[in-house]
Amino acid sequence: AERDTEEGYREWAQQSNSFAAKWAAERVTSEIAQYFQLAIQESNQSALRDPLAEVLADASLTELNATPPKESNKAHQAARESFVQNEKRVNLENYLEGRLAAYGQAAKANPHAPKFASIFLTDSHGTQLAAAFDDSVDPRSIGNNLAHRVYFQGGPVDQPEYAAVPAS
């Protein structure tokens, strides 16, 4: 009887854990889908598309992506500094800060609304164009190529920096 009872508890625990795991997976999948839907909606807004197109077409970004991204490369550092200070890029970043603030207000009003710690944009090379953070983070990643990060190259771990930079 004791063995049957233990086996019954094991089965019950397994079924309970399986149900909890499936519920959690469905919940996470639903939330991720919501974030993807928001990203699609945001990308379709002309208020984002127009300034983004200006930044993507700007010579400072072209120069930045054309210089080898090594810490010791002074030309790359100068191109990055020029890009970081570019008025079009700053305008894009201001737009992102406004969107992050709007999402923050929505999250305060509705506990089920999506919550964001940051919003950022990159180009097809992986160069971070602009970012907004919900706290006072130093945006050192602006103008840096992030193609080696898992969220760009799809692998299970980050690659060595600049190893995954796509060819122009």
Side-chain angles (χ1 to χ4, degrees), residues 14-70:
Q14 183 180 17
Q15 288 174 357
S16 179
N17 289 342
S18 177
F19 172 78
K22 287 179 185 176
W23 181 82
E26 288 174 9
R27 171 102 182 185
V28 168
T29 300
S30 173
E31 286 184 27
I32 290 172
Q34 183 180 15
Y35 284 103
F36 274 109
Q37 187 62 33
L38 285 172
I40 291 167
Q41 289 172 0
E42 287 289 337
S43 68
N44 287 325
Q45 299 296 318
S46 62
L48 172 64
R49 275 195 331 262
D50 295 345
L52 177 59
E54 289 180 356
V55 170
L56 290 171
D58 195 270
S60 66
L61 178 61
T62 303
E63 182 182 347
L64 176 63
N65 282 332
T67 59
K70 301 286 184 205

Side-chain angles (χ1 to χ4, degrees), residues 1-17:
E2 187 177 311
R3 191 175 8 181
D4 288 344
T5 302
E6 286 178 9
E7 184 63 32
Y9 280 132
R10 249 191 305 273
E11 281 184 35
W12 174 80
Q14 183 180 17
Q15 288 174 357
S16 179
N17 289 342

Side-chain angles (χ1 to χ4, degrees), residues 64 80-81 83-85 89 93 96 119-121 127-133 138-146:
L64 176 63
R80 182 181 174 276
E81 186 62 32
F83 177 70
V84 167
Q85 295 175 4
R89 193 209 65 78
E93 193 160 82
L96 292 181
I119 299 176
F120 62 92
L121 295 169
T127 301
Q128 189 161 352
L129 306 175
F133 303 95
D138 181 10
R140 293 182 194 168
S141 58
I142 301 299
N144 288 334
N145 189 295
L146 305 174

